[in-house]
Amino acid sequence: MTSEAPDPWPAIDELATMLNDLAGQVLTHTKQLQHLTPAQPSTQAGNAAAHAKDLRDWVEALVDEYGLHAQIGPPHRWENIPPLRAELIGLKIADVRPLKLEQGSFELIYWHDALARIVDRAGQHADRWQEDQRNQHLLATSN
């Protein structure tokens, strides 16, 4: 009873092909996501100011494009409400609009869904922030 071991080369060739395909997909996604990688900071203060200006410009364009003046408001409003500012930062990081997405891709729909949810919560964040400001003022005047 002699049984020959199966030839390993077809399986090795198949694995090599799969690895090459995977490497190609990684390269494609790397190129698509490369714009999300922040530039290396030159100085901490200059970098923070540049990021703040970049966010301000991005939010201003978003507000103009989608007519969100009443919901998001001007920078002096949303920049001073930390939860709203944090949500806008997350939305900016997740922004897939500049990417060339494959047909049938749902990333843009997911991004717009996130935008709608953030717009819905913007009023809640503003109301909580205003109430917190009033409470802090009352506490300060009562002491």
Side-chain angles (χ1 to χ4, degrees), residues 2 6 12 18 35 38 41-43 47 52 54 62-63 67 74 81 85 92 104 106 109 111 113:
T2 61
I12 292 171
M18 289 170 54
H35 82 282
S42 54
T43 64
N47 194 37
D54 185 44
L62 180 77
V63 166
I81 303 173
R85 184 175 186 277
K92 180 184 181 299
F106 283 92
I109 293 170
W111 185 86
D113 182 55

Side-chain angles (χ1 to χ4, degrees), residues 48-104:
H51 282 298
K53 183 186 179 329
D54 185 44
L55 178 63
R56 196 173 302 116
D57 292 345
W58 184 86
V59 172
E60 184 177 291
L62 180 77
V63 166
D64 290 343
E65 181 178 349
Y66 290 94
L68 302 173
H69 301 279
Q71 294 90 342
I72 304 297
H76 72 270
R77 177 179 183 243
W78 61 263
E79 286 180 332
N80 290 309
I81 303 173
L84 181 54
R85 184 175 186 277
E87 291 212 60
L88 290 168
I89 289 169
L91 192 64
K92 180 184 181 299
I93 291 169
D95 191 356
V96 295
R97 294 175 299 161
L99 298 178
K100 292 181 180 177
L101 301 171
E102 292 181 22
Q103 187 172 350

Side-chain angles (χ1 to χ4, degrees), residues 4-45:
E4 289 185 33
D7 185 10
W9 291 110
I12 292 171
D13 287 342
E14 185 178 347
L15 285 173
T17 301
M18 289 170 54
L19 284 174
N20 284 334
D21 291 345
L22 182 59
Q25 289 176 13
V26 167
L27 181 62
T28 300
H29 290 294
T30 300
K31 287 178 182 176
Q32 287 179 343
L33 298 175
Q34 204 163 25
H35 82 282
L36 296 177
T37 305
Q40 294 299 319
S42 54
T43 64
Q44 192 67 18

